[in-house]
Amino acid sequence: MNSSISSEGPAPRHRLHPGYGHPITRIWQEEARLHVDQLVYPLFITDAVNAQEEIGAMPGQYRWGVDRLEAALRPLVRKGLRAVLLFGVPSNGKDGRASCADAANSPVVQAVGVLKAAFPDLLIICDICLCAYTDHGHCCIFREDGSMDNAASIERLAEISVSYVRAGAHMVAPSDMMDGRVGAIKRALCEARLDHAPVMSYSAKFASCFYGPFRDAAHSAPAFGDRRAYQLPAGARRLALRAIERDVEEGADFVMVKPAGPYLDLIRDARDRVHVPVAAYHVSGEYAMLLHAAQAGAFDLKTAVLEALTGIRRAGADIIITYFAPQLLDWLQAEEGSGKPAVDRTES
Ligand code: PBG
Ligand code: ZN
């Protein structure tokens, strides 16, 4: 067929196909591409010995015993995994002050030691919150009268941060949403002479049903009420921007938007407004949705995950925290250099 420009159809200057007709020009058009260096893999660490417990709400994800971690991660690190985010799942010892969060036998403290020794180049980020360690499952400490004690909460979060960095964590990531916690953590790290460790703040963390599977994984569902007193309402873009800007003023080295997919506008806003890298957390419910939809035959899992995460990159995320990290290490490797066109547009 003769493909020369005819008098029919759009004017030559409005024709876009020529600009992405070759596999490599197609790649050149994409300013947002996924790279393994941008991925963070969240891990659940239990104190159960030799455990590998599959998480019912998150097929393919496990609660790992500390003694199983090295073997579980070795192949991923070999394939290029650069960073992990640790969540502790203690089986007992929960109280009103989250005392077990930084006890010497805390699963996270122990996991940090194991991972540092086994994988010297792996970046270890510790999630900082109280909800997995409090008997009530909330992210804060309460006063006797049942009201939220913000001051006591941020003091405790700062203490836990210091313990984790002292244990060897490279970075702490407070996910509690208490007011002033970034400043409190920064000050405490400074006073303990541990301020080499950066803070990644869960800055724009929305009250979301998409955390449901995570709460099954971490056994951290609140015993009463919900998290609306401290997590943001879904429709609140301005409030989220204030939270992001406030955290940067308090010294956050990285900010985060969470969940990712339903809040792409905030990822873009954050990218445009603050001058620190922006992380997006593709959360447990987003993982479960894609997995179940693919299993039900709605689409191919790999294609869907790559599209969803590329969208998050395009919105402006510099870092993506995702449970799909293990598969992505394979998928992105295979993608490199293959550059096969979906449709052969060779003209004859
Ligand atoms: C705890 C915390 C939660 C997540 C990360 N840290 C749950 C919550 O706030 O209830 C959610 C992560 C996910 O859903 O993957 N503060
Ligand atoms: Zn919490």
Side-chain angles (χ1 to χ4, degrees), residues 18-236:
Y20 56 96
H22 186 278
I24 193 64
T25 57
R26 218 176 148 73
I27 286 175
W28 289 349
Q29 295 287 356
E30 286 193 289
E31 62 265 53
R33 300 188 71 213
L34 279 171
H35 195 276
V36 293
D37 289 349
Q38 297 153 340
L39 305 177
V40 178
Y41 186 35
L43 289 172
F44 300 96
I45 321 287
T46 158
D47 48 15
V49 180
N50 219 25
Q52 180 182 352
E53 306 165 3
E54 188 162 25
I55 298 159
M58 303 175 70
Q61 304 299 316
Y62 301 86
R63 290 181 215 94
W64 295 103
V66 173
D67 39 6
R68 281 283 186 100
L69 268 180
E70 182 176 349
L73 281 188
R74 178 75 59 195
L76 303 182
V77 171
R78 198 170 287 143
K79 284 188 254 182
L81 181 69
R82 304 298 305 273
V84 291
L85 172 60
L86 304 187
F87 293 95
V89 192
S91 52
N92 51 46
K94 298 190 184 193
D95 63 15
R97 293 187 39 81
S99 307
C100 57
D102 53 353
N105 64 350
S106 138
V108 167
V109 168
Q110 303 214 323
V112 168
V114 165
L115 292 176
K116 284 268 287 210
F119 309 110
D121 299 326
L122 185 69
L123 184 89
I124 302 167
I125 312 172
C126 289
D127 182 89
I128 303 292
C129 200
L130 306 186
C131 55
Y133 306 100
T134 49
D135 45 15
H136 47 66
H138 276 282
C139 308
C140 59
I141 291 173
F142 290 109
R143 294 192 193 85
E144 301 243 317
D145 66 3
S147 61
M148 211 162 67
D149 191 339
N150 192 85
S153 303
I154 65 175
E155 195 187 327
R156 185 72 188 110
L157 291 158
E159 243 171 56
I160 297 169
S161 301
V162 166
S163 303
Y164 288 179
V165 174
R166 194 163 276 144
H170 296 107
M171 188 185 301
V172 288
S175 65
D176 52 283
M177 290 296 280
M178 294 300 112
D179 279 329
R181 88 270 208 216
V182 172
I185 291 169
K186 279 279 176 180
R187 273 191 300 279
L189 289 175
C190 201
E191 278 161 22
R193 298 187 181 276
L194 296 169
D195 51 327
H196 57 274
V199 174
M200 174 184 282
S201 178
Y202 287 68
S203 300
K205 179 174 176 181
F206 290 86
S208 172
C209 76
F210 297 116
Y211 307 152
F214 174 96
R215 291 174 190 172
D216 173 25
H219 300 313
S220 63
F224 54 85
D226 54 41
R227 302 207 202 289
R228 278 184 288 189
Y230 40 98
Q231 297 182 352
L232 307 176

